[in-house]
Amino acid sequence: MIFGSDLLSRCSASGMLRYQMVYRPPRRSYDPIRFLCTSSSSAMAKCCVSPAKKVPEPFFRSVIAIMESNYRERNPTASAILDLVRSSDGDNVVYDHFAFRTFGVEGHGIDSMAKFFLDFGYTPRDELRFPGKKLRARWFSPPADENPPAGTGINGPLPRIFISELLVDEFSPEIQETIRKYTKISGNDNSYATLASSLGSLTWNRPLYSEYQILLRESEYAAWTLVNGYALNHVTISTHRLKSGLKYINALNLFIQQNGYKLNSEGGTLKVSPDGLLRQSSTMADSAPFTFAGGITNSISCAYIEFAERLVLPQFSHLPPEQVEEKHRRDGFEVGNADKIFESTSTDQLKQKAV
């Protein structure tokens, strides 16, 4: 993982801080890391955003492709499952959503990560509250596309975006002090959330292990965010868009387990919304060694992969299967489901996974 000072060094090493880019029909591929290193949020708005308030799509897809690449590199279980499903289903994987975690303090919350997606044309949708975990979240729908791409993965239909934030002010003074210490160290890192996510970087200094433990005792989410920052928390396979029998989430869950992977059992392996139309499951997060300030190295939880099946809404149940489109299916998210999915990074469940 890259840290704050290393991030600036990487950008300046080859003159990237002086680089400016204006969108033209490309003769070569975009270099989103070079572009992001030169852009404050205001500069990005002036340079990237067209009169229609959209960053160029090739650039946008390049950025999320790098997010996906870092996610796969750091999370071998998720990467292996993506390959397994692709090989078993003829490369029909479409992403339902990408999810990110943030600290809801001093501009470092949902808005910091949302700006890039809003500039491309995403639309803010429902807010969700999780009182027990002291979190709130909002999801964003991608721009409408009359002719969605026929590709898969990041080259296919664009995913929904789910961004949550820790309600820092609701925690103990000790937790608040620790979190604010690091967000203040990072300065204006909220302007560079997308860059940090793309690089797999922390924008604050690596924390002390003792501080990580302080957060972990009160909030697993807080501890995770302290050491993972704006990294992609999980991607979600849209199961109903698969072509084989794996499109039914129960069949996919069984397939995943038969191949030796453990699913999140919090609230049951299958999480079902009250209306029965949103069905979700997830693996447990991978773990990786992390070297804290002071030289202590300990295992931390990283990311996981989720699966979501969206059933056809009752008013469209008369449609033959070949006429059913995504707009005919259950949209949005469900607090009860998401609350249990959050547990995929739980240290208690990770210990069970290791047994």
Side-chain angles (χ1 to χ4, degrees):
M1 176 170 283
I2 307 169
F3 298 91
S5 58
D6 301 323
L7 177 61
L8 293 177
S9 299
R10 176 169 171 178
C11 287
S12 59
S14 60
M16 289 182 185
L17 289 174
R18 298 188 299 274
Y19 188 89
Q20 295 277 334
M21 185 176 82
V22 178
Y23 178 63
R24 298 182 180 91
R27 292 186 178 180
R28 60 182 176 82
S29 61
Y30 289 103
D31 183 348
I33 295 302
R34 173 174 289 185
F35 180 87
L36 286 169
C37 284
T38 68
S39 302
S40 68
S41 58
S42 58
M44 186 183 296
K46 293 177 182 177
C47 186
C48 283
V49 182
S50 69
K53 303 297 184 184
K54 288 184 66 175
V55 300
E57 185 166 342
F59 171 70
F60 179 85
R61 288 188 183 269
S62 293
V63 172
I64 63 173
I66 295 174
M67 290 179 182
E68 180 203 45
S69 177
N70 282 327
Y71 163 83
R72 293 192 61 158
E73 182 178 348
R74 296 183 64 217
N75 302 283
T77 294
S79 186
I81 289 175
L82 280 168
D83 290 339
L84 182 64
V85 175
R86 281 195 172 104
S87 65
S88 302
D89 196 75
D91 194 19
N92 295 305
V93 169
V94 171
Y95 289 130
D96 180 89
H97 65 273
F98 282 10
F100 304 88
R101 294 181 177 185
T102 68
F103 287 133
V105 60
E106 298 163 354
H108 297 267
I110 291 171
D111 291 346
S112 64
M113 196 70 224
K115 184 185 185 308
F116 177 69
F117 298 98
L118 293 172
D119 284 350
F120 180 66
Y122 272 70
T123 301
R125 300 294 295 275
D126 304 324
E127 179 179 290
L128 296 84
R129 290 274 178 170
F130 304 86
K133 289 184 170 61
K134 300 178 183 178
L135 306 173
R136 78 177 185 100
R138 183 176 288 278
W139 72 277
F140 302 79
S141 58
D145 193 341
E146 294 182 0
N147 299 296
T152 62
I154 57 93
N155 296 312
L158 290 170
R160 300 165 182 83
I161 300 299
F162 184 94
I163 308 173
S164 56
E165 68 177 24
L166 189 78
L167 300 175
V168 176
D169 289 343
E170 297 185 11
F171 284 85
S172 67
E174 188 176 28
I175 295 291
Q176 293 186 45
E177 181 181 353
T178 301
I179 291 172
R180 286 192 167 89
K181 169 186 172 181
Y182 285 96
T183 55
K184 286 179 179 177
I185 286 172
S186 66
N188 292 324
D189 86 320
N190 54 310
S191 298
Y192 304 108
T194 305
L195 171 59
S197 184
S198 297
L199 290 175
S201 167
L202 288 178
T203 54
W204 47 76
N205 296 340
R206 68 182 72 199
L208 294 167
Y209 182 57
S210 58
E211 294 170 319
Y212 171 77
Q213 289 180 306
I214 288 171
L215 267 62
L216 188 60
R217 285 195 292 269
E218 197 166 334
S219 168
E220 180 277 326
Y221 181 109
W224 190 96
T225 306
L226 184 67
V227 293
N228 287 282
Y230 296 104
L232 189 54
N233 176 257
H234 67 271
V235 305
T236 301
I237 293 176
S238 182
T239 66
H240 56 272
R241 291 189 172 191
L242 299 174
K243 303 300 182 184
S244 69
L246 297 181
K247 66 183 178 181
Y248 303 108
I249 196 168
N250 281 329
L252 180 60
N253 286 344
L254 181 60
F255 176 73
I256 297 298
Q257 291 172 315
Q258 288 176 337
N259 278 275
Y261 299 104
K262 180 177 174 58
L263 295 177
N264 173 357
S265 61
E266 184 71 19
T269 298
L270 184 65
K271 286 74 170 160
V272 183
S273 60
D275 61 12
L277 300 178
L278 177 59
R279 300 157 65 83
Q280 296 168 273
S281 61
S282 62
T283 64
M284 294 306 302
D286 275 323
S287 298
F290 182 90
T291 302
F292 293 84
I296 295 176
T297 299
N298 198 69
S299 180
I300 64 166
S301 62
C302 296
Y304 56 96
I305 188 166
E306 183 188 327
F307 318 102
E309 181 181 7
R310 298 180 181 274
L311 303 185
V312 177
L313 294 166
Q315 60 268 38
F316 301 116
S317 60
H318 64 283
L319 292 175
E322 64 273 14
Q323 292 183 17
V324 173
E325 301 177 21
E326 193 70 7
K327 65 183 180 182
H328 300 133
R329 295 181 180 274
R330 209 278 200 183
D331 204 359
F333 294 84
E334 186 66 40
V335 168
N337 287 18
D339 187 69
K340 302 300 186 294
I341 294 291
F342 276 123
E343 296 299 317
S344 293
T345 56
S346 162
T347 52
D348 289 339
Q349 284 214 51
L350 290 175
K351 289 176 183 176
Q352 295 177 21
K353 175 183 176 182
V355 173

